[in-house]
Amino acid sequence: MARNRITIFSLAIVLAFLSSFASAAVVEHTFDVANIAVTRLCQSTVVALVNNSFPGPTIQVREGDTLVVHVNNKSPYNISIHWHGVFQLYSGWADGPGYITQCPIRPGNSYTYRFNITQQEGTLWWHAHVSVLRATVYGALLIKPKLGRTYPFPRPYREVPIILGEWWKRSPVDVETEALRTGGPFPASDAYTINGRPGDLYNCSSNETFKVTVERGRTYLLRIINAALNNQLFFKLAGHNFTVVAIDAAYTKPYKTDVLVLAPGQTTDVLITANQPPGNYYMAANTYSSSGAPFNDTVTTAVLHYATAPATAAPQMPPLPNVTDTPTAHRFSTSLRGLTTSPFWSPPPVEVDEKMFVTVGVGAEACGAGEDCSASPLGPRFRLAASMNNVSFQFPTARSMLEAFHFNINGIYTEDFPDRPPVEFNYTDGAISANFTALWVPVRATKVKKLKYNATVEIVLQNTAILTTENHPIHFHGFNFHVVAQGFGNFDEGRDRRSFNLVDPQERNTIGVPDGGWAVIRFRAINPGVWFAHCHLDVHLPWGLAMAFAIENGPTPSTSLPPPPSDLPRC
C-alpha cells in the first residue's frame, strides 16, 4: 500500500511537470524592417517601420513561453531590437542594445532572437536600439499568466494596448544627423501619438484618432506604454478614474487615481470601468516637462466610445495638468506599492554588499576641430554632453561589450566605473551653473561597474543642477529593481535613510529620477553578463548619460552566461 501511494505521488509529480511543460509554447514572429512613406499631419515622411506598421506588431505570449523573432533588415540603417524589460535570464545575447550585447544587424542581413519569458507577467514592449530608430520601430509585448494561473485582480472584459509616441515631419534619422552636426539639442517633435495616430486636435488629423469602443458596465484593462523618444507624459481619461494594477510588468497594490505620468520606457496597467453616461470621452496625453529644453506643448487624443452613444457626439475633454506640474508627477510616482502576494514578488535586499552614489545630469564637451556647433545652447565652442559620476558613456565599435566579457577581450571597456562622483558639491543648487567650471566637462570613456554573482546592490541616483535640473528616466537592462525611496534636494544619508520602504516598494525597470532630487534603488545581481543602464531619452546622441554593469558568472554552468549564438551579428 505504501509503495502504491509513493507510485501515485510520483506519478502526480510527473504529470504536473509534464502539464507545466506542455502549457509552454514557442511563439514565432517575423519582423521585416524597411523604409516606408507614412502620411501624418498632411505630410509624407519616409521612416523605418516593422511589417509596414506603425506601431509595429503586438506580441502576445504567456509566462514560460519561448519567443522567436526573425528580423530581416531591409532598411538602409544598422538595426537591433531590444526587448524592453525582459529579464533575459542567462540569455543576455538576445537583449539587443547595439554594441552592448550584440553588434547591429547590417542592411540586407537577418538575425533571429530566441529567448524564454521567465518569471514575468504584464506589459512590456520592444523597440530599435540603434540611433533614434525607436522613434518609429516599436510595439507592445504583452505577457499573460501561464495557463491555470489568473491575474491578481478581477478579470477584465477586454484588454487594450495604448502606446504613446511622437512624430516628426522629417525623418527622425535626419533630425538626429542635424543635431549631431550642429551640436544642438534634439528638436521637439511635431505631434504626439496614441497607437500611431495624432488625434483630431491636430491639423489634418480629423481621421487620425484611435477609438476604443466599450460596453457600459464592463471593466477594461488598458496596457499603457510610453514609447516617446524624449518626453514624459501625463495621461487622463475624461469622466473616468484609473486603478493602477501593474507597472513595468510588476504587479502593484491597487491604486486609484485620475491621472498617470509615464517616463519614456515605462509601462502602466490600469483598470477602468465604463460607468459613465453613454457618450464619447477623450483619452489625452500632454507633456510633463521638468527642464528648460524645448518640448512639444500639444495634446494627443484617442476616444473612448460607448457602444450605444452616437458616433458623432462631441467627446468630453479631461482637464490636463500643467506641463510643469512636478507635484502631481511626484505624487503619482511615489504612491505606488508592490503587490507582495503576486506570484513573482521578491522582497528588496535588506543587507547590501555594494553601495553606489551616482550623479546624473547634463554637461558640456568641447567641439572638435572642424565641427559645427552653431546650434549649441552653450555657444560655438561647446556641445551638450551628459554623464553619470562625471563619466560620459562612449559606445565601443570593434566588438560588443558582451563579447568582450564572455571571451575576456581587453580594450573594449574598463572595469573602473566610480562608485561616487569625483567631487562632492551642492548637487541641486542652480548657482553651480552660473560660471563654467570643471564640473561641467565629463570624461568620455567606456567603463563598467563589476559585480559578483548574487551581490546585493544599492544605488543612490542623484540629480544635478549643472546647466539645468531635469527628471531623468533611467532604464536598467537585465533585471528589475526596487525603488525604496525618492525625494527632492540632495540625498541626506542620516535623514533620508529613515524613510526607506523595505516592506512593499514598487518594482520597476525604468525610474524617473525626480527633477532636482534623488531616488534610491536596490537589486540583486543574479543575471551574469553586461547590462546597460541609461537615460531613456535619446542615448545615442553624444550626451552619454549611461553606464553598464558586468555581472560575473555564477558558481555552476546553469548560473553562467552560455556561449553566443553562432550567427550573432559581428561589428
Side-chain angles (χ1 to χ4, degrees):
M1 178 67 73
R3 179 178 299 175
N4 287 342
R5 286 175 180 167
I6 293 172
T7 302
I8 293 171
F9 179 70
S10 301
L11 181 60
I13 293 176
V14 171
L15 289 174
F17 173 79
L18 291 175
S19 175
S20 174
F21 182 80
S23 68
V26 176
V27 178
E28 198 162 359
H29 287 262
T30 296
F31 282 7
D32 291 331
V33 185
N35 271 8
I36 304 294
V38 177
T39 299
R40 294 288 187 274
L41 310 178
C42 280
Q43 184 169 320
S44 180
T45 305
V46 175
V47 295
L49 297 181
V50 171
N51 297 355
N52 295 353
S53 177
F54 179 60
T58 293
I59 293 177
Q60 296 195 49
V61 294
R62 293 189 180 275
E63 193 272 325
D65 286 351
T66 296
L67 181 58
V68 178
V69 182
H70 310 283
V71 178
N72 303 314
N73 187 5
K74 302 178 180 180
S75 81
Y77 316 115
N78 288 344
I79 196 79
S80 69
I81 303 295
H82 170 50
W83 315 95
H84 185 110
V86 174
F87 292 157
Q88 300 290 1
L89 282 169
Y90 311 109
S91 59
W93 302 106
D95 192 43
Y99 304 102
I100 308 298
T101 62
Q102 68 167 94
C103 296
I105 308 166
R106 297 189 181 278
N109 290 353
S110 301
Y111 179 63
T112 295
Y113 293 91
R114 178 186 293 268
F115 53 91
N116 295 330
I117 306 293
T118 305
Q119 299 177 22
Q120 291 181 280
E121 296 173 1
T123 302
L124 296 174
W125 61 302
W126 57 266
H127 61 79
H129 214 298
V130 174
S131 182
V132 292
L133 293 173
R134 75 174 176 88
T136 52
V137 177
Y138 62 78
L141 173 54
L142 312 182
I143 307 172
K144 297 190 176 185
K146 66 173 55 181
L147 294 174
R149 191 162 60 222
T150 60
Y151 295 128
F153 49 80
R155 182 179 179 180
Y157 179 68
R158 184 183 166 202
E159 303 179 14
V160 184
I162 300 290
I163 309 181
L164 311 177
E166 292 183 272
W167 182 260
W168 282 261
K169 291 182 179 179
R170 292 193 297 154
S171 161
V173 175
D174 292 342
V175 174
E176 177 189 40
T177 300
E178 180 72 7
L180 290 172
R181 185 184 69 80
T182 61
F186 199 88
S189 59
D190 295 295
Y192 294 119
T193 59
I194 295 178
N195 289 352
R197 304 179 187 183
D200 55 15
L201 299 187
Y202 290 96
N203 291 334
C204 301
S205 301
S206 59
N207 296 320
E208 293 290 345
T209 305
F210 180 73
K211 181 182 289 188
V212 180
T213 299
V214 298
E215 297 180 18
R216 196 168 191 276
R218 300 284 194 179
T219 296
Y220 297 81
L221 178 66
L222 303 184
R223 297 176 174 269
I224 306 168
I225 300 164
N226 185 357
L229 198 65
N230 287 324
N231 286 102
Q232 299 175 88
L233 296 169
F234 290 114
F235 184 83
K236 296 193 73 171
L237 171 56
H240 299 73
N241 289 326
F242 305 112
T243 300
V244 179
V245 293
I247 52 175
D248 291 358
Y251 292 118
T252 64
K253 293 181 177 177
Y255 173 66
K256 296 185 182 301
T257 178
D258 68 340
V259 61
L260 310 175
V261 63
L262 292 89
Q266 290 184 334
T267 73
T268 304
D269 291 359
V270 299
L271 297 174
I272 62 162
T273 300
N275 55 9
Q276 296 301 300
N280 292 319
Y281 298 84
Y282 272 134
M283 292 181 273
N286 70 323
T287 307
Y288 165 50
S289 175
S290 58
S291 74
F295 65 91
N296 180 341
D297 192 13
T298 62
V299 178
T300 182
T301 55
V303 172
L304 186 82
H305 168 69
Y306 279 69
T308 58
T312 56
Q316 296 183 31
M317 187 71 179
L320 292 169
N322 186 280
V323 295
T324 59
D325 192 347
T326 291
T328 292
H330 188 67
R331 181 168 56 252
F332 174 80
S333 298
T334 56
S335 296
L336 303 172
R337 297 288 183 268
L339 183 65
T340 60
T341 57
S342 64
F344 303 119
W345 167 262
S346 61
V350 175
E351 301 296 328
V352 174
D353 300 318
E354 297 272 1
K355 286 188 177 182
M356 301 177 68
F357 186 98
V358 179
T359 53
V360 296
V362 183
E365 65 180 6
C367 286
E371 289 185 340
D372 174 12
C373 287
S374 57
S376 171
L378 307 175
R381 294 177 52 210
F382 296 93
R383 65 167 71 242
L384 290 171
S387 66
M388 301 177 79
N389 276 357
N390 209 45
V391 178
S392 189
F393 187 83
Q394 178 73 52
F395 281 89
T397 57
R399 293 273 193 134
S400 75
M401 296 176 72
L402 192 57
E403 284 183 288
F405 168 88
H406 181 73
F407 294 109
N408 198 26
I409 300 171
N410 294 324
I412 304 300
Y413 62 81
T414 58
E415 297 176 346
D416 56 346
F417 184 86
D419 287 341
R420 300 189 65 83
V423 179
E424 294 187 9
F425 57 98
N426 187 354
Y427 306 108
T428 56
D429 182 2
I432 63 176
S433 291
N435 298 296
F436 186 91
T437 72
L439 293 174
W440 285 32
V441 184
V443 175
R444 187 164 288 278
T446 310
K447 298 177 181 286
V448 305
K449 168 65 177 178
K450 189 175 182 180
L451 296 172
K452 292 186 179 299
Y453 179 82
N454 205 35
T456 54
V457 185
E458 175 187 286
I459 304 177
V460 178
L461 295 165
Q462 174 68 62
N463 223 317
T464 72
I466 299 173
L467 295 186
T468 182
T469 60
E470 184 176 2
N471 186 305
H472 294 287
I474 306 296
H475 170 53
F476 282 65
H477 293 227
F479 45 84
N480 281 358
F481 51 78
H482 293 96
V483 184
V484 299
Q486 301 178 67
F488 292 103
N490 297 321
F491 175 77
D492 184 286
E493 182 75 25
R495 177 196 64 206
D496 295 323
R497 194 165 290 279
R498 294 193 295 268
S499 68
F500 282 15
N501 176 6
L502 300 179
V503 178
D504 60 353
Q506 60 184 278
E507 190 178 354
R508 305 211 74 128
N509 63 57
T510 305
I511 173 71
V513 182
D515 175 26
W518 50 268
V520 182
I521 65 173
R522 288 187 178 184
F523 64 91
R524 186 178 295 275
I526 59 170
N527 201 3
V530 175
W531 302 105
F532 205 27
H534 61 95
C535 183
H536 215 266
L537 304 179
D538 181 22
V539 70
H540 287 277
L541 284 174
W543 294 340
L545 191 50
M547 61 165 294
F549 294 96
I551 299 176
E552 294 179 349
N553 285 316
T556 66
S558 65
T559 57
S560 300
L561 181 71
S566 59
D567 60 342
L568 188 73
R570 300 289 186 253
C571 290

